[in-house]
Amino acid sequence: MPQLTATPRDITSSEAASYGSLTDEEAMPRDRAEATATLLKAVADPVRLQLLSLIRATKNHEACVCDLTPAVGLSQPTVSHHLKVLTEAGLVTRERRGTWAWFQLVPSRLDDLAAIFV
């Protein structure tokens, strides 16, 4: 059986000039990348996307956990966990009203999310 050996491919002078030409000035700063990753992780779940869309569909962009739970068909502790993740990411705020927790969208964080894809 013949031996296969790896050989470097010929690199043109224009390709050689472009290697290593990226600098850290062009890269997203690490702290911004970490914040963006946290935001993306928060919405990278179908239930959380459903919760955000349900809250967004309401008149004042706020909803009670008591209404969100049956709408997504999951237990209240599970919905509360997902809402906690969204709250920690700054996508919603939480307000206690009597015995219920109400969640409201944070428009500026939704803008941050949209800006990732522009």
Side-chain angles (χ1 to χ4, degrees):
M1 179 179 267
Q3 290 283 334
L4 297 177
T5 57
T7 58
R9 70 176 183 89
D10 294 331
I11 299 173
T12 66
S13 59
S14 64
E15 287 177 322
S18 69
Y19 287 141
S21 64
L22 294 177
T23 65
D24 61 349
E25 289 93 34
E26 287 131 357
M28 179 186 290
R30 177 66 62 149
D31 59 340
R32 184 170 163 219
E34 289 172 357
T36 300
T38 299
L39 187 58
L40 289 172
K41 285 178 188 176
V43 297
D45 183 281
V47 173
R48 291 185 207 132
L49 288 174
Q50 283 182 302
L51 291 168
L52 287 172
S53 70
L54 286 165
I55 296 168
R56 186 171 173 258
T58 65
K59 181 179 177 186
N60 296 324
H61 301 294
E62 65 179 13
C64 176
V65 69
C66 61
D67 295 323
L68 294 169
T69 300
V72 294
L74 297 171
S75 69
Q76 186 273 324
T78 300
V79 172
S80 291
H81 163 75
H82 287 294
L83 289 166
K84 180 181 178 186
V85 172
L86 293 172
T87 302
E88 288 172 350
L91 289 161
V92 296
T93 58
R94 181 181 185 273
E95 179 185 340
R96 184 100 130 148
R97 296 182 192 167
T99 59
W100 294 107
W102 284 73
F103 294 85
Q104 186 171 31
L105 289 181
V106 178
S108 63
R109 286 301 277 165
L110 293 179
D111 293 342
D112 292 343
L113 187 59
I116 293 169
F117 303 103
V118 175

